[in-house]
Amino acid sequence: MSRRPRLLPAQEPRPAHPSTPRTRRPLRALCATAVGVSVLAGCGALSGSADKSDITVMTWAPVGTNATNMPGMPGMAKAYARWVDSTGGLAGHKLTVLTCNERNTPAGAAACAREAVAKKVDAVVGSYSQWGQQFMGPLEAASIPYIGGYGLSSQEFTSYLSYPVNGGQATLLAGNGQQLADSDCSHTALVRPDTSAGDTLAQLLDTGLATRHDHDATDVRAPEDATGYQEQAERARDDAGDGGCVTAQLGDHTSTFFDSFRRLTDDGRDVRVSSVVGSIDQPLIDASGGADGLFEKALVTGWYPDSSDPVWDPMKKVISKEAFQDNTIDADNAGVQTTWIAYTALNQVVSSIKGGQVDAGTIVDALDHGATVHTGGLTPPLRWRYEDMLGAPGSPRIVNPDVTYQVVRDGRLVAQRKGFVNVGKTLLGSDLPTT
């Protein structure tokens, strides 16, 4: 029987329908009822921008680091703001986007969160960080919602102020395990970062493999920022064996691993490679030889439809109109795609708030009281009431347990099967840590 894990007291979800609306900043509520011009002018200084009708948000991601970099996420956020403001704003409100370099470090994540608090943003939207313990605390203390993070940290799926748009690493790894199991890999080796964020990846993959197999994957730990992975490549290939699969998730350094894998002396064994979207994407496939390269027939698990699907056309049109000279924004990149979906969610949530001021408190109230987001087929409809959440061990706030199966065919990353694959039951049956 599945169960909802008991969270730490600081992470207990708030009631879906509190008896009184929560307000993040009592002084703002006072300002809303004040009639004196001088009082209103003074209260305006409490906002994250000069105009009280503005909505100010932040997007952070690592840029220029030795590990994974996601410069396209703040780039997409800025492009979205330019586009939405050119079409009348978010339900008439001007959108101001602040960005922060998270630097892929705990200190960098904490610094971005403190900046968001200091600048009184109304939400953090479409951001990337594995350091949830460092950034979520300051946001919770200031009652700032975290909407549509990339899904790397456990706090994104436990904090009562986090509103994920995908199922994070849990769904990707469980889905990758199911995809490999469905593809008859005789054995699987997983290459993953030797970090705290990587510690549960093998367990998640094994949960997916268990849908058809009774063996676990070999867990091959690797440095997150190495310049070569020959030792790990040799071990992974040996453990996978003839007819087996090697799947790797090392962020930006996945390409470095597979380059080491490609350089191994051919021993005649047939080993299929695999990964998840975000570790393998179309630019990497192109740079690796396309249809003649290592990734031909590779199996890839994603959160969303493949990037050639017409459902992405609205995002591509915005990129073309507002950021055609910004080469950091790649429409094939999962971070860019997640940022687009996160801002789509923000737009619809703000539009659902009828009358009164839009700020962090009213955004949270709308999210908790059933605001529904439609993403045009990029995800199932999204809603974050307590009863909409999966309640999976370690990731209770997942509201979107769907993944997509993709494959590299003729050098292009395309759908292996149409539609979404729901891995909710797989996650509910998992035995993962609840911290």
Side-chain angles (χ1 to χ4, degrees):
M1 179 179 296
S2 61
R3 62 179 178 87
R4 291 180 183 267
R6 184 181 185 276
L7 307 180
L8 296 175
Q11 297 173 331
E12 287 287 352
R14 293 186 179 185
H17 299 284
S19 57
T20 58
R22 85 192 60 175
T23 51
R24 171 176 167 240
R25 302 178 184 118
L27 288 177
R28 280 193 172 182
L30 176 62
C31 291
T33 59
V35 295
V37 174
S38 61
V39 174
L40 286 172
C43 290
L46 293 173
S47 175
S49 56
D51 185 345
K52 280 182 61 182
S53 67
D54 287 1
I55 297 171
T56 302
V57 301
M58 177 177 281
T59 297
W60 61 57
V63 178
T65 75
N66 291 327
T68 299
N69 294 290
M70 286 286 179
M73 295 180 73
M76 183 72 251
K78 288 287 191 181
Y80 190 95
R82 290 192 294 271
W83 169 70
V84 79
D85 285 342
S86 73
T87 58
L90 297 182
H93 300 270
K94 176 179 172 55
L95 175 64
T96 299
V97 172
L98 310 177
T99 61
C100 184
N101 185 356
E102 181 264 4
R103 302 186 185 279
N104 229 334
T105 65
C112 286
R114 289 195 299 269
E115 182 180 347
V117 172
K119 294 185 176 178
K120 300 181 175 67
V121 304
D122 299 305
V124 175
V125 184
S127 295
Y128 182 107
S129 179
Q130 63 177 301
W131 308 106
Q133 191 169 3
Q134 281 71 31
F135 70 72
M136 220 44 241
L139 297 186
E140 288 179 346
S143 297
I144 296 173
Y146 188 76
I147 302 172
Y150 190 81
L152 284 179
S153 69
S154 61
Q155 286 77 14
E156 291 174 65
F157 300 97
T158 57
S159 171
Y160 59 85
L161 282 175
S162 179
Y163 302 88
V165 298
N166 60 47
Q169 301 302 291
T171 55
L172 281 185
L173 267 294
N176 192 225
Q178 283 192 200
Q179 186 179 17
L180 293 172
D182 291 345
S183 301
D184 297 324
C185 295
S186 59
H187 192 73
T188 300
L190 167 68
V191 183
R192 55 85 168 181
D194 188 12
T195 64
S196 58
D199 285 344
T200 63
L201 299 186
Q203 294 171 276
L204 288 163
L205 188 80
D206 289 342
T207 297
L209 287 171
T211 58
R212 285 185 180 267
H213 293 315
D214 59 0
H215 63 262
D216 292 341
T218 300
D219 184 14
V220 181
R221 302 186 182 201
E224 192 175 26
D225 56 356
T227 57
Y229 293 96
Q230 181 176 351
E231 178 184 344
Q232 290 83 6
E234 289 176 347
R235 182 186 170 195
R237 187 178 69 171
D238 289 345
D239 288 342
D242 195 21
C245 295
V246 171
T247 185
Q249 185 178 348
L250 292 166
D252 279 1
H253 285 255
T254 301
S255 59
T256 305
F257 168 78
F258 279 122
D259 185 60
S260 297
F261 190 88
R262 177 182 61 84
R263 294 174 185 273
L264 295 178
T265 303
D266 187 3
D267 62 1
R269 288 181 290 185
D270 181 20
V271 179
R272 195 170 192 177
V273 300
S274 176
S275 189
V276 298
V277 165
S279 290
I280 290 182
D281 54 19
Q282 190 60 52
L284 174 58
I285 296 166
D286 295 340
S288 302
D292 297 321
L294 171 67
F295 295 114
E296 183 67 11
K297 298 183 180 179
L299 300 171
V300 181
T301 309
W303 289 307
Y304 318 122
D306 66 274
S307 58
S308 64
D309 194 299
V311 293
W312 292 109
D313 288 350
M315 179 189 74
K316 292 176 181 178
K317 288 178 181 177
V318 170
I319 294 173
S320 178
K321 181 177 185 294
E322 301 293 346
F324 66 95
Q325 291 184 322
D326 188 346
N327 59 13
T328 69
I329 304 176
D330 185 345
D332 294 334
N333 181 269
V336 169
Q337 294 171 350
T338 300
T339 302
W340 169 262
I341 293 171
Y343 274 88
T344 298
L346 176 70
N347 195 339
Q348 293 186 30
V349 170
V350 169
S351 296
S352 76
I353 300 172
K354 305 301 182 184
Q357 176 146 336
V358 175
D359 61 13
T362 55
I363 290 172
V364 168
D365 282 336
L367 288 161
D368 287 350
H369 285 82
T372 303
V373 171
H374 298 277
T375 61
L378 300 175
T379 68
L382 302 172
R383 190 168 56 184
W384 295 270
R385 299 175 307 169
Y386 185 65
E387 54 265 41
D388 298 314
M389 296 175 188
L390 184 64
S395 301
R397 287 182 68 84
I398 289 177
V399 297
N400 175 13
D402 286 0
V403 298
T404 56
Y405 288 175
Q406 301 176 33
V407 64
V408 180
R409 186 178 295 128
D410 297 325
R412 298 298 302 173
L413 187 58
V414 298
Q416 184 187 26
R417 57 180 282 184
K418 292 295 184 182
F420 294 103
V421 178
N422 189 300
V423 298
K425 289 183 179 179
T426 300
L427 292 174
L428 285 172
S430 64
D431 185 21
L432 298 175
T434 59
T435 57

